[in-house]
mmCIF file of all heavy atoms in Angstrom:
data_model
loop_
_atom_site.group_PDB
_atom_site.id
_atom_site.type_symbol
_atom_site.label_atom_id
_atom_site.label_comp_id
_atom_site.label_asym_id
_atom_site.label_seq_id
_atom_site.Cartn_x
_atom_site.Cartn_y
_atom_site.Cartn_z
ATOM 1 N N VAL S 459 12.709 20.483 29.258
ATOM 2 C CA VAL S 459 11.819 19.560 29.953
ATOM 3 C C VAL S 459 11.011 18.755 28.939
ATOM 4 O O VAL S 459 10.787 17.553 29.118
ATOM 5 C CB VAL S 459 10.907 20.320 30.936
ATOM 6 C CG1 VAL S 459 9.941 19.367 31.630
ATOM 7 C CG2 VAL S 459 11.739 21.073 31.965
ATOM 8 N N ALA S 460 10.596 19.399 27.856
ATOM 9 C CA ALA S 460 9.815 18.712 26.823
ATOM 10 C C ALA S 460 10.596 17.538 26.234
ATOM 11 O O ALA S 460 10.024 16.465 26.000
ATOM 12 C CB ALA S 460 9.411 19.689 25.722
ATOM 13 N N HIS S 461 11.888 17.708 26.005
ATOM 14 C CA HIS S 461 12.700 16.600 25.486
ATOM 15 C C HIS S 461 12.693 15.417 26.457
ATOM 16 O O HIS S 461 12.602 14.257 26.028
ATOM 17 C CB HIS S 461 14.136 17.060 25.217
ATOM 18 C CG HIS S 461 14.299 17.799 23.937
ATOM 19 N ND1 HIS S 461 14.197 17.203 22.696
ATOM 20 C CD2 HIS S 461 14.543 19.116 23.690
ATOM 21 C CE1 HIS S 461 14.377 18.106 21.747
ATOM 22 N NE2 HIS S 461 14.582 19.282 22.323
ATOM 23 N N ALA S 462 12.781 15.693 27.740
ATOM 24 C CA ALA S 462 12.747 14.618 28.739
ATOM 25 C C ALA S 462 11.390 13.917 28.742
ATOM 26 O O ALA S 462 11.313 12.687 28.843
ATOM 27 C CB ALA S 462 13.067 15.181 30.128
ATOM 28 N N ILE S 463 10.322 14.682 28.608
ATOM 29 C CA ILE S 463 8.973 14.110 28.596
ATOM 30 C C ILE S 463 8.781 13.201 27.383
ATOM 31 O O ILE S 463 8.291 12.072 27.506
ATOM 32 C CB ILE S 463 7.913 15.226 28.622
ATOM 33 C CG1 ILE S 463 7.953 15.931 29.979
ATOM 34 C CG2 ILE S 463 6.521 14.687 28.313
ATOM 35 C CD1 ILE S 463 7.184 17.231 30.022
ATOM 36 N N VAL S 464 9.176 13.672 26.222
ATOM 37 C CA VAL S 464 9.033 12.859 25.012
ATOM 38 C C VAL S 464 9.894 11.607 25.112
ATOM 39 O O VAL S 464 9.468 10.516 24.710
ATOM 40 C CB VAL S 464 9.355 13.689 23.745
ATOM 41 C CG1 VAL S 464 9.375 12.814 22.506
ATOM 42 C CG2 VAL S 464 8.332 14.817 23.583
ATOM 43 N N PHE S 465 11.086 11.718 25.686
ATOM 44 C CA PHE S 465 11.931 10.545 25.908
ATOM 45 C C PHE S 465 11.192 9.504 26.748
ATOM 46 O O PHE S 465 11.163 8.313 26.405
ATOM 47 C CB PHE S 465 13.242 10.948 26.599
ATOM 48 C CG PHE S 465 14.011 9.790 27.165
ATOM 49 C CD1 PHE S 465 14.711 8.931 26.325
ATOM 50 C CD2 PHE S 465 14.032 9.546 28.531
ATOM 51 C CE1 PHE S 465 15.403 7.850 26.845
ATOM 52 C CE2 PHE S 465 14.720 8.474 29.054
ATOM 53 C CZ PHE S 465 15.414 7.619 28.211
ATOM 54 N N LEU S 466 10.571 9.938 27.842
ATOM 55 C CA LEU S 466 9.838 9.001 28.693
ATOM 56 C C LEU S 466 8.640 8.397 27.969
ATOM 57 O O LEU S 466 8.376 7.198 28.075
ATOM 58 C CB LEU S 466 9.387 9.692 29.979
ATOM 59 C CG LEU S 466 10.482 10.026 30.983
ATOM 60 C CD1 LEU S 466 9.912 10.855 32.129
ATOM 61 C CD2 LEU S 466 11.148 8.765 31.511
ATOM 62 N N LEU S 467 7.910 9.213 27.232
ATOM 63 C CA LEU S 467 6.740 8.707 26.501
ATOM 64 C C LEU S 467 7.123 7.645 25.477
ATOM 65 O O LEU S 467 6.378 6.688 25.253
ATOM 66 C CB LEU S 467 6.019 9.853 25.788
ATOM 67 C CG LEU S 467 5.265 10.836 26.663
ATOM 68 C CD1 LEU S 467 4.781 12.016 25.831
ATOM 69 C CD2 LEU S 467 4.095 10.172 27.373
ATOM 70 N N GLU S 468 8.278 7.810 24.866
ATOM 71 C CA GLU S 468 8.696 6.906 23.794
ATOM 72 C C GLU S 468 9.593 5.762 24.270
ATOM 73 O O GLU S 468 10.112 5.023 23.440
ATOM 74 C CB GLU S 468 9.402 7.709 22.700
ATOM 75 C CG GLU S 468 8.463 8.663 21.988
ATOM 76 C CD GLU S 468 9.116 9.409 20.843
ATOM 77 O OE1 GLU S 468 10.355 9.605 20.869
ATOM 78 O OE2 GLU S 468 8.383 9.788 19.910
ATOM 79 N N SER S 469 9.739 5.606 25.561
ATOM 80 C CA SER S 469 10.594 4.547 26.116
ATOM 81 C C SER S 469 9.728 3.498 26.801
ATOM 82 O O SER S 469 9.443 3.600 27.995
ATOM 83 C CB SER S 469 11.597 5.151 27.107
ATOM 84 O OG SER S 469 12.404 6.103 26.476
ATOM 85 N N PRO S 470 9.270 2.493 26.059
ATOM 86 C CA PRO S 470 8.288 1.555 26.599
ATOM 87 C C PRO S 470 8.779 0.694 27.760
ATOM 88 O O PRO S 470 7.964 0.150 28.493
ATOM 89 C CB PRO S 470 7.928 0.678 25.384
ATOM 90 C CG PRO S 470 9.088 0.803 24.467
ATOM 91 C CD PRO S 470 9.658 2.171 24.692
ATOM 92 N N TYR S 471 10.085 0.586 27.959
ATOM 93 C CA TYR S 471 10.560 -0.264 29.055
ATOM 94 C C TYR S 471 10.873 0.535 30.322
ATOM 95 O O TYR S 471 11.282 -0.020 31.321
ATOM 96 C CB TYR S 471 11.779 -1.078 28.606
ATOM 97 C CG TYR S 471 11.943 -2.348 29.406
ATOM 98 C CD1 TYR S 471 10.987 -3.357 29.350
ATOM 99 C CD2 TYR S 471 13.045 -2.529 30.225
ATOM 100 C CE1 TYR S 471 11.124 -4.510 30.090
ATOM 101 C CE2 TYR S 471 13.200 -3.690 30.963
ATOM 102 C CZ TYR S 471 12.233 -4.674 30.897
ATOM 103 O OH TYR S 471 12.370 -5.816 31.646
ATOM 104 N N ILE S 472 10.666 1.840 30.287
ATOM 105 C CA ILE S 472 10.799 2.650 31.497
ATOM 106 C C ILE S 472 9.408 2.786 32.090
ATOM 107 O O ILE S 472 8.478 3.246 31.447
ATOM 108 C CB ILE S 472 11.378 4.046 31.185
ATOM 109 C CG1 ILE S 472 12.797 3.920 30.656
ATOM 110 C CG2 ILE S 472 11.356 4.921 32.444
ATOM 111 C CD1 ILE S 472 13.412 5.238 30.225
ATOM 112 N N THR S 473 9.272 2.373 33.342
ATOM 113 C CA THR S 473 7.963 2.439 33.987
ATOM 114 C C THR S 473 8.138 2.795 35.461
ATOM 115 O O THR S 473 9.119 2.405 36.090
ATOM 116 C CB THR S 473 7.197 1.117 33.824
ATOM 117 O OG1 THR S 473 5.886 1.277 34.350
ATOM 118 C CG2 THR S 473 7.882 -0.044 34.496
ATOM 119 N N GLY S 474 7.198 3.563 35.979
ATOM 120 C CA GLY S 474 7.220 3.919 37.389
ATOM 121 C C GLY S 474 8.445 4.711 37.796
ATOM 122 O O GLY S 474 8.902 4.625 38.930
ATOM 123 N N HIS S 475 8.979 5.504 36.910
ATOM 124 C CA HIS S 475 10.225 6.212 37.176
ATOM 125 C C HIS S 475 9.976 7.703 37.380
ATOM 126 O O HIS S 475 9.127 8.296 36.724
ATOM 127 C CB HIS S 475 11.186 6.022 35.991
ATOM 128 C CG HIS S 475 12.538 6.622 36.208
ATOM 129 N ND1 HIS S 475 13.452 6.077 37.066
ATOM 130 C CD2 HIS S 475 13.104 7.733 35.709
ATOM 131 C CE1 HIS S 475 14.548 6.814 37.066
ATOM 132 N NE2 HIS S 475 14.348 7.839 36.252
ATOM 133 N N VAL S 476 10.731 8.299 38.285
ATOM 134 C CA VAL S 476 10.711 9.743 38.464
ATOM 135 C C VAL S 476 12.006 10.270 37.877
ATOM 136 O O VAL S 476 13.092 9.966 38.363
ATOM 137 C CB VAL S 476 10.600 10.135 39.954
ATOM 138 C CG1 VAL S 476 10.707 11.649 40.115
ATOM 139 C CG2 VAL S 476 9.310 9.617 40.549
#
Side-chain angles (χ1 to χ4, degrees):
V459 178
H461 280 290
I463 292 167
V464 173
F465 166 75
L466 289 173
L467 289 172
E468 293 184 333
S469 300
Y471 205 64
I472 296 176
T473 186
H475 184 72
V476 175

